[in-house]
Amino acid sequence: MEKLKIAIQKSGRLSEKSLDIIAEAGINLINGSRKLISIASNFPLEILYLRDDDIPQYIADGVADAGIVGENVLVESGARLDIVERLGFARCRLSLAVNKSSDYSDRSYFNGKRIATSYPATLKRWLQENSIDAEIHIINGSVEIATGIGLADAIFDIVSSGSTLISNGLKEVEKVMDSEAVLLTAPDINDARRDILDELLFRLRAVLASRNNKYILLNAPDDKLDKIIGAIPGMKSPTVLPLAMKGWSSVHSVVNENDFWQVIGKLREYGAQGILVIPIEKMIV
Ligand code: PRT
Ligand code: ZN
């Protein structure tokens, strides 16, 4: 039977969360101990464990049909693959940073400078787009120490919290791109595998939507129902049920994580009581 082969990172920042999302989609992996390959017992799926940098090329070559990598890795590879879904984890950005004492004013600062990075292709493209003539020094690992040891005048690297930059006396001056984990596929996978990918995507989207939303229940005085309902930007319209106590109703709805605290604030202001917030296991959107 036809199987979809998905490549994920063997060991690193993406590994755990890539396996988590596959598990939450209800897929059981046999020998999931991250050797080379795992097979799913209840879904036509095979997992290949690889270094993240190799994944785009393996997909482009047809060794894997799909894969999960940081968008930065896809961009650096230059492979012509499709992003089928953004997965919302491993968020970071690729930025240029200089010594915190340097008198940086604008991008032209980088003209004639040496920039250390593990992402030369992405940097080269940005320099070209901005007509900057700088020298790229390729370093694999510990890029942040390059200026301190006099190897470079600036660095181009992944930034997440920014604490690595600070502890190396650097300041972020230009953001080149944002990144998060993405599900990739080759544009030309066969129809049978495309069908499996579509089924997987349907499940992954249900998992992602459930992660971003909370189910809320609350008690509302009937004379404030309109205001309370108006404060909830729910899925369609909230469910409203009468309570045994006269003059009160129970309201049920779904609230997006991003709006959550603002919505709760308004609900309290309008007199909602007994507010319960419940995680959602799956959400079919
Ligand atoms: O062995 P393999 O090649 O598979 O792994 P790897 O070492 O290349 O990658 P890994 O596991 O370190 O990261 C995988 C992906 O996670 C990256 O390609 C990014 O898309 C994403 N990601 C998210 C990060 C970070 N956040 C991150 N903070 N990758 C690296 N970092 C490093 C960064 O290099 C810097 O040294 O963390 C430091 C910065 O962090 P802050 O929080 O101090 O700013
Ligand atoms: Zn890597």
Side-chain angles (χ1 to χ4, degrees):
M1 199 179 75
E2 195 81 55
K3 275 199 170 90
L4 186 76
K5 289 187 192 156
I6 293 203
I8 67 169
Q9 191 186 25
K10 186 172 167 65
S11 106
R13 285 168 207 266
L14 302 171
S15 311
E16 219 56 58
K17 289 190 169 146
S18 302
L19 287 171
D20 285 350
I21 199 168
I22 289 167
E24 281 180 55
I27 297 169
N28 286 331
L29 300 179
I30 308 169
N31 58 30
S33 58
R34 274 185 242 163
K35 297 217 166 77
L36 207 61
I37 291 178
S38 300
I39 297 164
S41 61
N42 57 354
F43 197 84
L45 188 74
E46 204 171 291
I47 307 278
L48 311 181
Y49 300 97
L50 298 168
R51 277 198 60 206
D52 64 349
D53 315 71
D54 297 335
I55 290 176
Q57 194 56 48
Y58 274 80
I59 301 173
D61 292 345
V63 177
D65 305 305
I68 297 176
V69 291
E71 194 176 353
N72 56 303
V73 169
L74 170 67
V75 169
E76 182 64 23
S77 77
R80 288 173 189 276
L81 303 174
D82 298 333
I83 293 179
V84 281
E85 192 57 62
R86 302 183 166 276
L87 302 175
F89 59 87
R91 287 183 198 276
C92 59
R93 54 196 187 273
L94 269 140
S95 291
L96 282 147
V98 299
N99 279 327
K100 68 169 188 280
S101 56
S102 65
D103 53 349
Y104 185 87
S105 55
D106 60 72
R107 294 168 182 187
S108 64
Y109 172 92
F110 293 111
N111 273 308
K113 297 285 200 295
R114 298 162 303 163
I115 310 174
T117 188
S118 313
Y119 298 93
T122 310
L123 176 59
K124 189 173 172 201
R125 196 168 323 135
W126 186 85
L127 292 172
Q128 274 168 357
E129 279 164 17
N130 288 281
S131 310
I132 297 164
D133 187 15
E135 205 180 297
I136 300 176
H137 278 253
I138 303 170
I139 303 185
N140 290 313
S142 303
V143 169
E144 64 279 0
I145 64 166
T147 63
I149 59 173
L151 195 69
D153 307 300
I155 67 159
F156 173 62
D157 201 8
I158 292 176
V159 182
S160 174
S161 66
S163 62
T164 301
L165 294 184
I166 292 170
S167 56
N168 285 282
L170 297 163
K171 64 179 175 189
E172 185 177 1
V173 290
E174 298 287 341
K175 181 176 86 173
V176 171
M177 68 174 286
D178 285 306
S179 179
E180 67 185 283
V182 291
L183 177 66
L184 301 176
T185 190
D188 57 356
I189 62 169
N190 73 36
D191 288 350
R193 292 183 189 196
R194 171 79 53 190
D195 287 347
I196 302 171
L197 182 65
D198 285 346
E199 171 61 25
L200 177 70
L201 258 178
F202 174 76
R203 295 191 187 193
L204 293 180
R205 285 177 179 148
V207 172
L208 292 169
S210 73
R211 285 182 179 175
N212 290 333
N213 289 279
K214 301 272 182 254
Y215 192 79
I216 63 167
L217 295 128
L218 57 92
N219 295 333
D222 286 344
D223 57 348
K224 293 282 170 49
L225 259 181
D226 286 350
K227 273 196 140 175
I228 287 178
I229 290 170
I232 306 174
M235 296 175 76
K236 282 199 178 112
S237 73
T239 307
V240 180
L241 302 165
L243 285 184
M245 195 196 309
K246 224 171 161 264
W248 285 80
S249 297
S250 166
V251 178
H252 301 200
S253 193
V254 172
V255 175
N256 191 281
E257 195 94 275
N258 297 328
D259 310 326
F260 185 73
W261 289 108
Q262 204 193 350
V263 171
I264 297 290
K266 280 197 193 152
L267 295 175
R268 292 179 62 206
E269 185 187 326
Y270 298 150
Q273 292 183 5
I275 303 173
L276 294 181
V277 180
I278 301 166
I280 298 171
E281 159 84 27
K282 299 281 187 306
M283 185 164 149
I284 314 302
V285 283

